[in-house]
Amino acid sequence: MNPKSCLNCGHKISDEFCAHCGQKTDTARITLQSLIKSDILGSIWHIEARFFRTLKHVLFGPGRMAMNYISGKRTRYYNLFSLLLILFGFNVLTLHFYLNLNPDEISEGNSNILEFFSKYSKTILFVIIPMLGTNAYFIFKRIKLNIAEHFIIGTVSLLGILIIFLFNDMVSLVGLWKPAAKIFGILDKASFVLFILFPAVTYWNAFKKSYSKPGLLWRVSVLYVLMGIESLAIITVLYRVF
């Protein structure tokens, strides 16, 4: 069978996708059926399926997902940095709704704190990636990952933190309904614990086959100590500027 020409770039094609531009070779005339089935529903399903699949991997296998991404297995995952911005946007929106529905939260005692974290939340959150990446680069030297690859692991860890924050914000919103306040108060505290532990889960999941349990435990502990000291220093500097 003679190879066809790609309708997009004109190069000869003989497989499912054009090797030059990547367009599918079965591109045909647009009909109402193909418009609904392939262009609209197909594209939405493809994006949503990859989006939610990536969220699942972030929550239930963050370290393994990060190592897969680093090793080159990337098409199965939603773009990490686009996902980071989307989750951050959702966090800002849910916090905004919560404060609008619960104005008593902004009392004289904590208004300055809320204003501070609202103003510097981007700085505080996104500095987590270079802090985690740089610290882990030296602590987990045996793995032989470069600094950019450690930044990927830090990004996946931050994605998990943002998902937990988003869950926490939604729990707080539902918790405004008084009959459910006690139950959702417990969930709120549990999500805070998960937020604190998530970086440890990420690195444990990523490197558990490369270190003994005691070796991995003390390395993760050192990582937390360094992160705590650095976070305190950054917040102190920002608070003085604020």
Side-chain angles (χ1 to χ4, degrees), residues 57-64 153 156-157 164 193-208 216 220 223-224:
H57 284 295
V58 168
L59 286 175
F60 299 107
R64 184 169 59 252
I153 301 176
V156 173
S157 186
I164 294 168
V193 173
L194 287 174
F195 149 66
I196 296 297
L197 293 178
F198 198 83
V201 172
T202 303
Y203 285 97
W204 193 279
N205 186 238
F207 301 143
K208 62 184 178 181
L216 192 51
V220 170
L223 179 66
Y224 266 71

Side-chain angles (χ1 to χ4, degrees), residues 50-62:
R50 194 160 50 148
F51 180 85
F52 288 110
R53 184 170 61 244
T54 304
L55 294 184
K56 183 186 77 171
H57 284 295
V58 168
L59 286 175
F60 299 107

Side-chain angles (χ1 to χ4, degrees), residues 122-140:
K122 292 181 181 178
T123 304
I124 293 169
L125 283 175
F126 284 95
V127 82
I128 290 175
I129 296 174
M131 281 201 309
L132 277 173
T134 304
N135 291 330
Y137 175 76
F138 293 103
I139 295 171
F140 299 101

Side-chain angles (χ1 to χ4, degrees), residues 8 40 108 113 173 190 198 216 235:
N8 183 56
I40 299 175
E108 291 184 4
I113 296 173
L173 281 170
F198 198 83
L216 192 51
I235 291 172

Side-chain angles (χ1 to χ4, degrees), residues 11 41 82 93 217:
H11 278 69
L41 295 180
S82 296
L93 283 175
L217 182 61

